[in-house]
Amino acid sequence: MNIAIDAGNSRIKWGVHDGTGWLDSGVLATADVAWLSEAADEWPVDARVMVCNVAGSEVAATLSALLAGRHPRVSFLHASAEACGVRNTYAFPGQLGADRWAALIGARALLEHACLVVCAGTATTVDLLDADGVFRGGLILPGFDLMRAALADNTAQLPLADGVFRSEPRNTMDAIVSGCLQAQLGAVERMFAAIATAPGARCLLTGGAAAPLAAHLKIPFQLADNLILNGLVRYAESL
């Protein structure tokens, strides 16, 4: 039995996995991390807990404290040079974000083909994984909502836009939304070009902001809602 916790900048996702499938899962705002104790009270005491945290040291400390009295086996995932069939070619492997590492492990467990692993959240990460399981590098860019917020916060006349994506926007709201989405789509599609001719290559798309990208991507892709959680379980099972 494994419990996976993905603590991101905006949301914390968790799930209880019995080795076959997910028995229970949930999500809450990262700012409400203390409320995770209510869910933790219902988790199997003997389960291994694997945590991926990119929300900072304060969240890590809170998670450690609320889990310590309930579960004796708690581990925090950190990127390494190799794990679960994935080889990390970062210049300094440990600097790779734990969320990206978990997603790559989850992707390798899901696909044996080359793939582009896209995690769309507060930030958008775009990572290349070849058919041999080698992580060839990737991108980090502001997420869709963060791009919109940056324009609203740092310009005098541009609002926090709630427009519609259009190929030829003709009002300011649509221009902002379309520009931010085109930037996301362009980064993903340009990176995918590196593996586009590889047999079976596709994009795996996950994260809370995945839906707007999925609506407009022009490359082979599939949604993988629990990619990071699945990666955490896969890693836990390898220990």
Side-chain angles (χ1 to χ4, degrees):
M1 190 77 71
N2 288 291
I3 296 162
I5 301 174
D6 170 23
N9 292 294
S10 301
R11 304 189 308 163
I12 295 175
K13 292 182 67 176
W14 59 269
V16 180
H17 198 280
D18 67 355
T20 302
W22 296 103
L23 301 180
D24 196 10
S25 62
V27 61
L28 71 160
T30 301
D32 297 329
V33 58
W35 290 98
L36 192 63
S37 61
E38 295 190 4
D41 283 338
E42 304 298 323
W43 295 341
V45 175
D46 59 345
R48 182 196 302 272
V49 181
M50 183 61 62
V51 183
C52 164
N53 173 52
V54 297
S57 58
E58 186 174 336
V59 170
T62 301
L63 287 171
S64 295
L66 72 84
L67 293 170
R70 297 172 170 83
H71 300 280
R73 297 190 296 166
V74 178
S75 302
F76 282 75
L77 179 71
H78 300 284
S80 57
E82 189 168 0
C84 303
V86 181
R87 183 157 62 88
N88 183 355
T89 60
Y90 240 35
F92 300 98
Q95 290 183 354
L96 180 66
D99 54 344
R100 295 169 68 191
W101 188 231
L104 288 163
I105 291 171
R108 188 60 178 168
L110 185 62
L111 287 178
E112 294 184 353
H113 304 296
C115 63
L116 189 68
V117 182
V118 178
C119 299
T122 304
T124 299
T125 59
V126 187
D127 292 322
L128 281 169
L129 186 65
D130 70 19
D132 295 321
V134 178
F135 165 52
R136 291 169 43 187
L139 308 176
I140 303 173
L141 61 153
F144 172 66
D145 287 338
L146 194 56
M147 284 187 173
R148 292 190 305 132
L151 285 172
D153 292 343
N154 294 285
T155 60
Q157 297 184 10
L158 295 180
L160 183 61
D162 187 20
V164 176
F165 179 87
R166 301 186 188 281
S167 58
E168 298 178 351
R170 295 180 184 175
N171 64 68
T172 298
M173 294 290 196
D174 291 353
I176 293 171
V177 167
S178 301
C180 294
L181 262 179
Q182 290 282 29
Q184 303 280 315
L185 296 166
V188 172
E189 290 171 358
R190 283 177 64 90
M191 285 293 281
F192 186 78
I195 58 169
T197 60
R202 75 184 74 171
C203 170
L204 293 179
L205 183 58
T206 193
L213 296 180
H216 302 288
L217 274 176
K218 296 181 179 179
I219 57 175
F221 77 92
Q222 73 182 67
L223 290 169
D225 290 338
N226 291 322
L227 193 61
I228 292 175
L229 294 183
N230 286 330
L232 290 170
V233 169
R234 174 70 185 89
Y235 183 82
E237 291 174 344
S238 74
L239 298 177

